[in-house]
Amino acid sequence: MIAVLIFLAIVFSIGGWWLSRQRLMSKPWLEPGFAGVAPGTEAINLPANKVGLGVFLAVVGALFALFISAYFMRTELPDWRNIPMPRIIWLNTGLLVLASAALHCAVVAVRAKQLRALKLDLLACIATTLMFLFGQGMAWETLTAEGYFATSSPAYSFFLMLTGVHGIHIIGGLFVLTRTTRHAWTQTNNAALRASTELCATYWHFMLLVWCVVVVVLAGWANDFVDICRQLLPLG
Amino acid sequence: MVNMVDASPQVAENISAAEVPEVELYHPKSYWTKYIFSQDAKVIAIQYSGTAIAIGLVALVLSWLIRLQLGFPGTFDFITPEAYYQFITMHGMIMVVYLLTALFLGGFGNYLIPLMVGARDMVFPYANMLSFWIYLLAVLVLVVSFFAPGGPTGAGWTLYPPQAIMSGTPGGQQMGIILMLVSLILFIIGFTMGGLNYVVTVLQGRTRGMTLMRMPLTVWGIFTATVMALLAFPALIVAAVMMLFDRLLSTSFFMPALVEFGEQLEYGGGSPILFQHLFWFFGHPEVYIVALPAFGIVSDLISTHARKNIFGYRMMVWAIVGIGAMSFIVWAHHMYVSGMDPYFGFFFATTTLIIAVPTAIKVYNWVLTLWRGDIHLNVPMLFAIGFIVTFVNGGLTGLFLGNVVVDVPLSDTMFVVAHFHMVMGVAPIMVIMGAIYHWYPKVTGRMTIDWMGRFHFWVTFVGSYLIFFPMHYVGLVGVPRRYPELGDATFVTDSLHTLNAFISVAALIVGFAQLVFLFNLFWSLRHGKEAGGNPWRATTLEWQTSETPPIHGNFGKELPIVYRWSYDYSVPGAPEDFIAQNDPGPTKEEAAR
Ligand code: HEM
Ligand SMILES: [Cu+2]
């Protein structure tokens, strides 16, 4: 459970840092306010949907951290054999980076109120993301062609499951992104467009990060690191 | 006098408007959007609660069947061993997930959070509505599994592999286990949509003046529990997805090499322990996911009905947050008998005992709140006190079980069953009932019938003790859990059989007392006394709405402004024995005089 404990440590540090600024030491029973003065709410200085996305990403992060925890616990068992990464994975990673970059440009464009550029960037993102998904399917094909099956190789099962769950999240994101793109054509309200573009961008960057972690894990580059953690903290 | 709370600078656009024109209050247009596909958190709350209670009744009936078998073995032909396993599995899973979690977070969370923090509604009403419908779908899938070929799964609510997906377990090679896992995955997806709402509404939806430290403990409890649930439920999804893979694609995540009826199965190399880690990484926080809202609600009940501010408010908040964080690193105390590294067990025994400290602090604070309070033994208060007693009782046996050496012989006996029913069965249910009696007047505008409530309390409280207290003894003698029959072991005496029959009779009586409760709820809808807006003379915002039951938008045109914390009861010099949170109190000049 190392991976998820590390993840929780990060989430709890952020939460703790936020809480530490919430005057938890105050004595509310001594602090009645007077009429006529409307105090603030001490809410986070962001719109609700951004906070909401942040919380949601924490949930997604926990999900992947747990899958990865399970992965490392499974690698400990004697029947484990690594499988070679299909080479198309690197191409796919590149595509996802491009998609993220396109959305970054989209945010810049929408902030500068350049509607034409925005439309182009959004379309570019959709295109590269679709290609990414297609490439993931090819990766599955390659491995099956090389004779790996879910029944015979736990490493392949994990490959299938992790890329699959990541893919489902990307597809979910695509639904929202398509809606945003449609709005770029139909809507005139720049503030709403900007908000949804920014949300999509955050989501895509996060899913890119998740993808990188997944690749590092599946390629076995994190094994030594996890071994060290295990020795420090033998918690499964 | 201390002056205004220093509020951190805020961009006003991120705080909801205090005043809105009439047109912006969302008015549902038809019957369908008003009562069925409603986006109003209060309606969603009722929908959640109704569904949870309905499926909870199924679990209650299952507990009768379980007890009939244990009390009078061999009498009922239709309770085969397979059926018995299906009954305990469905009973446990429904009670823990589909009743308690859904009712506390989906039911009470939806109703109380917006009203208590002074918001018009949840921040994402559409997702909130979807949350309920997906929950309903999850419940329906669960119900379908009762009628599927082979019936529901009988794997035990912990669903441990490898047995969960093998042919010897009811539903293992049929639809039962698949429907169970799918239903859980749906539940979690639905919950996540609702959970985002509860968290973000508390973070961003508070009205002016409602700082975190002025929130009622109910909101703190539900908020923290929701954060925990959002982080813990993914572990159950991961476990469920991996088990579905094992079952449907014959992968070997959890499945070791197995021989069944002399035949080598396809599986090999997987680890059942891996499942246990994932399951309990969810399972232990789950205990606190139902406990923390109960802690919060009971604090408010006690304070209101003892007309006294809650003792140690800050400590209560810290304890809730501390327990929430700690509960993520104690999961393996459920796995002491899984053959783990002794150091591992030592670590988890230590964390388990440490988490008892903030929990004990909360108990002391409740008792100290009662101390010299002006105690009104209203029905909600009876249930609150019943909770404290039961919780202490179950908590103490928990301390025993948290020690490896004590747990090893007691593990998987009826002692454990008695322990967890006290601490997470009866205790939270007591709070739920107290809370329903407490907030019923706000939800419906009428009081419940008092004598029925008292009758319900005494039968439930005394009855639960008659069920679960002797059950500890049954476990100590050595009766294992999850056994439909005891056979002729030497420790099984006649008196043990008598005791088992006694427990079963008590269980039936307690079960039927719940019908009085339900009858009361329906009867009072028409025949209860008019409650008025604030029958308990409570301070929190939900009691200060202009209409009862509150209308859509909760507070009419203007949101309340909060001037004080939520526990100003019996303040010396105040004209009444409570000061509402939105009561500005004396003006500066008056105070100066
Ligand atoms: C109406 C009162 C209740 C009675 C009489 C009752 C009785 C029982 C009995 C006899 C068992 C089976 C023990 C065994 O053979 O292993 C059981 C299991 C269980 N009960 Fe209850 N119960 C009640 C309420 C609850 C509640 C409110 C909860 C909520 C937490 C709950 C959670 C469980 C769980 C988790 C199991 C374990 C199921 C398993 O072994 O897989 N019960 N109950
Ligand atoms: Cu536990």
Side-chain angles (χ1 to χ4, degrees), chain A residues 3 11 17 21 36 41 48 50 77 100 104 128 131-132 143 149 162 164 170 172 174 183 198 206 210 213 231-232:
Chain A
V11 171
W17 168 80
R21 307 176 15 155
T41 67
K50 285 204 176 153
L77 300 175
S100 230
H104 179 75
T128 38
M131 276 154 75
F132 167 81
L143 283 175
F149 294 105
L162 280 169
I170 293 285
L174 267 180
H183 286 175
E198 285 176 354
F206 185 79
V210 168
V213 175
Q231 273 163 18
L232 294 175

Side-chain angles (χ1 to χ4, degrees), chain A residues 1 18 22-26 28-29 31-35 39-41 43-46 66 73-74 77 151 234-235, chain B residues 4-5 7 10-11 14 203-204 206-207 209 212-214 235 250 252 266 269 271 277 314 318 331 344 563 565 584:
Chain A
M1 304 299 274
W18 172 75
Q22 295 300 313
R23 306 192 317 114
L24 289 194
M25 309 297 271
S26 66
W29 53 94
E31 301 180 341
F34 289 105
T41 67
I44 300 169
N45 220 338
L46 283 173
L66 281 153
M73 283 156 79
R74 188 66 179 77
L77 300 175
T151 35
L235 300 182
Chain B
M4 212 31 267
V5 180
Q10 297 240 307
V11 180
N14 292 331
L203 290 178
Q204 302 301 91
R206 281 168 283 134
T207 187
L212 281 183
M213 291 305 272
R214 282 177 173 179
S250 303
S252 296
E266 248 182 306
S271 159
H277 277 295
R314 287 193 300 172
W318 301 342
W331 77 89
F344 200 61
Y563 295 96
W565 73 325

Side-chain angles (χ1 to χ4, degrees), chain A residues 36-201:
Chain A
V37 192
T41 67
E42 300 182 351
I44 300 169
N45 220 338
L46 283 173
N49 48 18
K50 285 204 176 153
V51 179
L53 181 65
V55 178
F56 179 65
L57 292 184
V59 178
V60 176
L63 184 72
F64 279 96
L66 281 153
F67 271 120
I68 291 169
S69 283
Y71 176 87
F72 282 117
M73 283 156 79
R74 188 66 179 77
T75 53
E76 295 262 277
L77 300 175
D79 71 332
W80 184 267
R81 304 278 175 282
N82 275 330
I83 52 168
M85 291 287 270
R87 256 191 305 178
I88 190 159
I89 285 295
W90 309 117
L91 183 66
N92 291 347
T93 310
L95 284 170
L96 206 56
V97 172
L98 283 182
S100 230
L103 266 186
H104 179 75
C105 297
V107 171
V108 174
V110 76
R111 284 191 184 150
K113 300 215 169 64
Q114 293 165 335
L115 207 56
R116 242 179 63 86
L118 170 70
K119 288 175 183 170
L120 263 176
D121 292 332
L122 289 175
L123 286 181
C125 178
I126 293 184
T128 38
T129 309
L130 283 175
M131 276 154 75
F132 167 81
L133 287 175
F134 186 75
Q136 296 288 76
M138 303 251 298
W140 290 359
E141 281 279 322
T142 324
L143 283 175
T144 321
E146 282 174 24
Y148 293 102
F149 294 105
T151 35
S152 59
S153 161
Y156 177 66
S157 318
F158 267 106
F159 183 88
L160 211 60
M161 192 169 60
L162 280 169
T163 51
V165 173
H166 181 265
I168 288 175
H169 281 83
I170 293 285
I171 292 173
L174 267 180
F175 274 105
V176 183
L177 186 64
T178 336
R179 231 186 45 190
T180 310
T181 313
R182 240 192 12 242
H183 286 175
W185 262 269
T186 57
Q187 240 183 19
T188 41
N189 178 353
N190 193 270
L193 203 53
R194 175 173 163 179
S196 57
T197 312
E198 285 176 354
L199 291 178
C200 284

Side-chain angles (χ1 to χ4, degrees), chain B residues 60 63 66-67 70 84 88-89 91-92 95-96 100 156-158 414 417 420-421 424-426 429 467-468 471 481-483 507 510:
Chain B
L60 178 70
S63 79
I66 302 171
R67 274 319 317 180
L70 290 178
Y84 181 84
I88 59 166
T89 306
H91 162 80
M95 286 288 189
V96 173
L100 289 180
W157 89 284
T158 45
M414 289 306 267
V417 177
F420 75 68
H421 275 91
M424 81 167 299
V426 181
I429 291 274
I467 300 170
F468 294 113
M471 206 184 273
R481 129 188 218 205
R482 291 180 177 166
Y483 272 42
V510 170

